[in-house]
Amino acid sequence: MITHSLKRGSAMLLIIFTVAVLSAGCGKSDGSSGKKESLADSRQDNDLQEESEGAKEGQDSSADMAAAVTELEVCFGDQREPFILHLYENETAAAIARHVGTADWRLPIYHYDDYDNWEVMQYYDIPSRYEIPSDPEEVTSEKAGEVYYSDPNRIILFFGDAEVIGEYTKVGYFDDTEEFKAAVEENPVLEGWGNKIVLINSVK
């Protein structure tokens, strides 16, 4: 009788032990699986965050490059002293700076002969392959050194004070100095062209 009870007790203990081991094993397996899923989710979140940060950095870099261009270098004639064109913050000036950044401009200079004050203004025609936005407004008076854009694809420089009515977009300005005025007025006619030229470059 005692032997039978011991056997029954041993069997019960064995069953309880087996159930406990199996339960512990399942719990461990579930925890491991959950941990793996958690690590995978974390890794995916990190990848998405890195991609987002990379895209943002790329956008910021492009914006910084566009914002960084505030000046262009202009020479009135070949191998002449450069002068700085200070750019305004608008889409027209930014587009001009962007195009000049890809290829320096060497443009012929023309003079108006049907405007009052024509003797203190000149213009440069930009090739039509360059797309330049504009936001013109009526201008009635200009200061020496001011630079405007006139659609389609024309840059206008006033190197003396003037009163000329036109629809222009402001691009920038030169410092009004005697050296600047002399450089513009003494720019020689290019042999073989019959025109003066202007060179517009990115600031080195």
Side-chain angles (χ1 to χ4, degrees), residues 21 24-25 37 40 126 152:
V21 168
E37 289 176 3
I126 304 167

Side-chain angles (χ1 to χ4, degrees), residues 26-171:
C26 291
K28 185 175 182 180
S29 174
D30 290 341
S32 175
S33 174
K35 191 172 183 180
K36 287 180 181 177
E37 289 176 3
S38 177
L39 287 172
D41 291 343
S42 177
R43 190 176 295 114
Q44 187 175 9
D45 289 343
N46 286 340
D47 290 343
L48 290 172
Q49 184 177 356
E50 288 175 2
E51 289 177 6
S52 176
E53 289 176 353
K56 184 179 179 181
E57 287 176 4
Q59 292 173 354
D60 290 344
S61 177
S62 298
D64 288 344
M65 286 179 65
V69 181
T70 59
E71 298 177 341
L72 292 175
E73 192 176 80
V74 179
C75 298
F76 298 95
D78 286 329
Q79 299 178 346
R80 310 281 286 198
E81 179 185 358
F83 291 86
I84 296 299
L85 170 59
H86 306 280
L87 299 175
Y88 292 121
E89 292 184 11
N90 60 43
E91 292 184 5
T92 304
I96 291 172
R98 184 170 62 253
H99 292 315
V100 170
T102 61
D104 294 346
W105 285 353
R106 189 169 186 261
L107 307 175
I109 294 174
Y110 301 99
H111 290 271
Y112 289 102
D113 57 7
D114 55 352
Y115 278 86
D116 290 335
N117 304 131
W118 65 268
E119 66 277 2
V120 293
M121 59 187 294
Q122 57 185 216
Y123 67 91
Y124 326 124
D125 283 342
I126 304 167
S128 59
R129 65 179 178 273
Y130 295 109
E131 293 186 7
I132 300 173
S134 64
D135 184 20
E137 56 185 37
E138 185 176 38
V139 177
T140 57
S141 63
E142 299 79 17
K143 296 292 185 182
E146 288 187 337
V147 177
Y148 297 89
Y149 175 81
S150 177
D151 192 56
N153 285 40
R154 176 169 289 180
I155 293 176
I156 300 174
L157 165 66
F158 290 88
F159 53 96
D161 294 343
E163 292 184 1
V164 176
I165 299 175
E167 294 287 324
Y168 303 137
T169 304
K170 289 186 175 183
V171 172

